[in-house]
Amino acid sequence: MSFPWAREYQPTNGLMKFLDEKLPLPRLVYGAIGAGYPVPRNLSYMWNFGVLAGFCLVLQIVTGVVLAMHYAPNALVAFGTTEHIMRDVNWGWLMRYAHANGASFFFIVVYLHIFRGFFYSSYKAPREMIWLLGVVIFLLMMATAFMGYVLPWGQMSFWGAKVITGLFSAIPVVGEPIQVWLLGGFAPDDAALNRFFSLHFLLPFVIAGVVILHIWALHIPGSSNPTGVEIKDESDTVPFHPYYTAKDGFGLGVFLIAYCVMVFFLPNYLGHPDNYIEANPLATPAHIVPEWYFWPFYAILRSFTVDFFFVPAKLMGVLAMFSAILMWFFLPWLDRSPVRSGHYRPLFRKFFWFGLIPTMAVLFYCGGAPAIEPYVMLSQLATAYYFLHFLVVLPLVSSFEKPEPLPFSITESVLGSDKPALSGE
Amino acid sequence: MAENDGNGEDGVRRRDFINIAAVSFAGVGGIAVVLPLVSQMSPSADVLAESSTEVDTSKIEAGQGITAVYRKQPLFVRRLTKKEIDEANAVDISTLRDPETLEQRTKPGHTDMLITMGVCTHLGCVPLGIQSDQNRGPFGGYFCPCHGSAYDTAARIRKGPAPKNLQVPDYVFTSDTVVSVG
């Protein structure tokens, strides 16, 4: 699209010529994900996750629309219709397991996509807008996933809804009215269940809209690549189709194998047994935890156990949890190193592999563990490093670090020299 | 001349007035549309209609408690023993996170009747301890298993992450034994 050597769409038959004149949709697709989009020739498998995330979104919308045909969002029957889907509806069990595990796999893919972005600094100029839109998508996904988990109206659904909306009650003065307003009652009930269902149906389409903006913004500078060196010449690129449609197709196959293993052999492995008990507003399960993909942020929430100055511990926890993600919006301006790829940044690389990654692992583990020692102390340490990493380490590293020499071009990094590519072919 | 005909380029033009009037009108109309859209999310009339409840306390012996339902949430109604009352009164309230005396948290003449929401003020779990065989925590009142908040025999927060005492709802004794909550 943005490169002069991008191939132009040529309609081959009368129908396509007609379409191209009246509504050039094939031209759009050709330029966006077809042979008309030149892509760096050196993309690794870490660049598969965008397409995989798109696949997950479609998977979730298709299975979700099917489930909505058999489910009723009413506190009296919601749990029953969920079991009705599992036992009575033809292939209902498959649809529900595909949807529930689809959510988990969507998050696996998106977390890998985000951490690819962290390592290769994909958020840096000229790709800031792609990153910002990506963070918006992630926030929308979290909201959608949370509301979806409430719908089966099991014990975890109910208490998850109560605890998460309870976060808003930490806000001084207006917090409790906001919580009552969000729930449409004083505790989760019919009103909350209905609106969560309505929004859970709506938000995926909002996500699809932001995804289109995300891809649009991507096509202006073009895809980044593992060297972080920008495209200089036609020899640095190959057409998206067939080169990356094939590579993404292979990645999709690997993804589907892992996904099908979970759906068909371990469908409840990532869920909680308590959610097969119908919601009971008078008894809290002994150990309530959110779904696994919220664990790192839940650990940050719980790591604040004492008041800070005038701010109560509960409010601090809530603020920290939201800041942990909202901070990502500032990432393009916190990391000011001109070098993108972590492969050429010795110091950054160390902090990534020995700082950020272990920190996330600790937060992840502690978020799923009960709130007792040593998990509380571990999550406090990890939370401290998490914020230090983004707010202090990244800005400091980008001013002190001496990056390793970059290759002249993408072609040189692949072939060892840029000459053959320029003279040959 | 230009000022008089109202169509000149300088000063206030008739078009400015029309612009402001039109935008204001649309703005007020917009607010009138948004207001019902926001307000429909608040508790509906039938939810609010369920927001009061009556509890008969006559069958509760000292040391026992019952769980009633108020606004679809658990309501702890507990008759304190003499020992529990003494324990609550022995605390220096200036040392408390949310300073309140047992008198302030009960009704005159019914200081043994402790009526609170059964909703932990941390993140809304139901604490244990309303039944005497449950874990009542280190202060003998209630104990929340979710994140370890411990409440004393006046249901005041003593330890753990919860910021406030268990909430005392609005209630009145309509007779010696019957309580109307809400």
Side-chain angles (χ1 to χ4, degrees):
Chain A
M1 254 161 125
S2 50
F3 300 103
W5 58 85
R7 281 188 215 163
E8 208 200 333
Y9 175 66
Q10 304 289 353
T12 46
N13 56 49
L15 176 66
M16 285 309 188
K17 280 196 182 96
F18 175 84
L19 254 184
D20 197 42
E21 270 176 33
K22 315 298 173 194
L23 181 75
L25 202 59
R27 181 176 290 270
L28 182 77
V29 172
Y30 186 88
I33 50 169
Y37 178 44
V39 187
R41 64 193 287 174
N42 62 338
L43 297 191
S44 68
Y45 280 109
M46 286 310 289
W47 268 255
N48 272 21
F49 298 110
V51 164
L52 290 181
F55 175 81
C56 288
L57 180 62
V58 173
L59 175 80
Q60 289 303 86
I61 289 179
V62 170
T63 51
V65 167
V66 168
L67 288 172
M69 294 177 186
H70 303 280
Y71 167 83
N74 178 302
L76 293 175
V77 297
F79 186 80
T81 55
T82 307
E83 288 311 301
H84 157 76
I85 289 170
M86 294 300 292
R87 298 171 194 201
D88 302 337
V89 174
N90 298 321
W91 299 98
W93 61 271
L94 177 62
M95 293 301 145
R96 179 161 175 269
Y97 281 154
H99 195 71
N101 286 284
S104 282
F105 274 77
F106 199 170
F107 272 97
I108 293 173
V109 164
V110 162
Y111 274 123
L112 288 168
H113 198 51
I114 292 171
F115 277 80
R116 190 285 313 266
F118 283 149
F119 185 78
Y120 291 100
S121 311
S122 304
Y123 43 79
K124 279 184 191 162
R127 297 185 181 79
E128 302 97 320
M129 187 53 74
I130 312 169
W131 175 259
L132 300 181
L133 289 166
V135 180
V136 170
I137 294 171
F138 183 60
L139 290 170
L140 286 169
M141 275 179 65
M142 293 180 96
T144 310
F146 158 66
M147 288 190 278
Y149 194 58
V150 175
L151 302 183
W153 209 237
Q155 272 288 68
M156 281 296 177
S157 301
F158 180 90
W159 290 98
K162 184 143 192 188
V163 167
I164 299 298
T165 56
L167 297 179
F168 289 90
S169 71
I171 304 166
V173 190
V174 294
E176 281 184 38
I178 288 179
Q179 187 191 357
V180 170
W181 178 74
L182 285 172
L183 288 174
F186 304 98
D189 202 7
D190 245 3
L193 184 58
N194 264 296
R195 68 189 54 175
F196 282 8
F197 178 65
S198 170
L199 292 172
H200 183 71
F201 207 113
L202 167 74
L203 286 183
F205 297 96
V206 177
I207 293 176
V210 184
V211 165
I212 288 172
L213 299 183
H214 189 66
I215 297 172
W216 187 5
L218 170 71
H219 280 69
I220 292 169
S223 300
S224 65
N225 71 85
T227 64
V229 176
E230 288 294 307
I231 292 167
K232 289 193 164 71
D233 204 332
E234 188 173 357
S235 69
D236 292 338
T237 66
V238 289
F240 187 83
H241 177 74
Y243 291 92
Y244 287 110
T245 43
K247 189 159 183 157
D248 286 333
F250 179 77
L252 183 63
V254 174
F255 167 86
L256 283 175
I257 290 171
Y259 173 68
C260 288
V261 166
M262 290 302 287
V263 169
F264 292 107
F265 297 98
L266 300 157
N268 288 306
Y269 179 76
L270 296 168
H272 303 286
D274 274 324
N275 221 28
Y276 284 101
I277 303 169
E278 192 166 1
N280 177 2
L282 300 184
T284 311
H287 177 48
I288 55 172
V289 283
E291 287 287 84
W292 70 266
Y293 35 80
F294 293 137
W295 284 354
F297 304 103
Y298 193 57
I300 291 176
L301 168 78
R302 294 193 302 186
S303 67
F304 288 83
T305 51
V306 290
D307 300 357
F308 273 77
F309 306 106
F310 306 106
V311 189
K314 182 174 155 185
L315 180 59
M316 268 316 280
V318 173
L319 290 176
M321 185 183 72
F322 284 113
S323 325
I325 299 170
L326 295 179
M327 196 167 62
W328 294 355
F329 280 117
F330 301 96
L331 198 50
W333 299 278
L334 287 169
D335 177 5
R336 293 198 305 273
S337 168
V339 177
R340 295 192 185 88
S341 171
H343 289 311
Y344 303 97
R345 300 186 60 190
L347 205 52
F348 169 88
R349 197 162 59 216
K350 286 193 185 71
F351 279 106
F352 180 86
W353 287 117
F354 302 109
L356 186 62
I357 294 294
T359 297
M360 287 307 288
V362 169
L363 286 176
F364 177 77
Y365 186 80
C366 291
I372 49 167
E373 294 298 352
Y375 305 119
V376 177
M377 221 250 285
L378 277 174
S379 39
Q380 284 167 339
L381 290 173
T383 300
Y385 181 78
Y386 179 87
F387 283 99
L388 278 177
H389 182 87
F390 288 102
L391 298 175
V392 178
V393 171
L394 280 186
L396 281 183
V397 163
S398 49
S399 49
F400 285 115
E401 182 181 54
K402 190 173 178 298
E404 288 156 7
L406 289 170
F408 167 73
S409 69
I410 293 170
T411 304
E412 190 194 89
S413 79
V414 177
L415 300 179
S417 152
D418 208 348
K419 286 285 179 315
L422 282 176
S423 56
E425 289 172 19
Chain B
M1 253 248 305
E3 291 141 38
N4 294 336
D5 65 10
N7 288 322
E9 291 299 312
D10 302 321
V12 180
R13 295 175 306 160
R14 177 184 283 177
R15 186 153 293 181
D16 291 335
F17 172 76
I18 294 171
N19 266 345
I20 292 168
V23 170
S24 311
F25 191 78
V28 171
I31 292 168
V33 171
V34 168
L35 216 63
L37 283 175
V38 171
S39 173
Q40 54 82 23
M41 300 243 314
S42 295
S44 56
D46 60 327
V47 171
L48 291 174
E50 286 176 0
S51 64
S52 68
T53 193
E54 290 217 330
V55 183
D56 181 5
T57 64
S58 60
K59 301 231 163 54
I60 308 172
E61 300 287 330
Q64 286 186 337
I66 59 164
T67 306
V69 179
Y70 168 59
R71 291 176 164 182
K72 300 242 170 167
Q73 296 176 91
L75 177 76
F76 289 168
V77 183
R78 175 159 160 185
R79 195 181 294 281
L80 301 176
T81 60
K82 179 81 176 57
K83 181 167 162 285
E84 287 171 334
I85 295 172
D86 291 342
E87 272 174 26
N89 287 331
V91 179
D92 174 9
I93 67 156
S94 62
T95 61
L96 295 177
R97 189 178 299 171
D98 183 10
E100 277 182 315
T101 63
L102 182 62
E103 271 72 40
Q104 289 168 326
R105 294 174 59 74
T106 51
K107 298 291 177 200
H110 298 280
T111 45
D112 60 337
M113 226 38 252
L114 181 67
I115 301 178
T116 62
M117 299 305 298
V119 179
C120 181
T121 56
H122 180 224
L123 291 173
C125 297
V126 178
L128 300 173
I130 186 65
Q131 284 158 25
S132 47
D133 58 345
Q134 288 174 335
N135 178 6
R136 287 182 162 172
F139 297 93
Y142 300 105
F143 178 73
C144 182
C146 290
H147 304 108
S149 291
Y151 297 88
D152 67 10
T153 53
R156 295 174 297 203
I157 180 65
R158 296 293 289 274
K159 190 168 173 286
K164 297 259 185 234
N165 302 334
L166 287 188
Q167 189 202 342
V168 177
D170 289 332
Y171 66 92
V172 285
F173 277 88
T174 51
S175 76
D176 251 9
T177 54
V178 178
V179 181
S180 171
V181 186

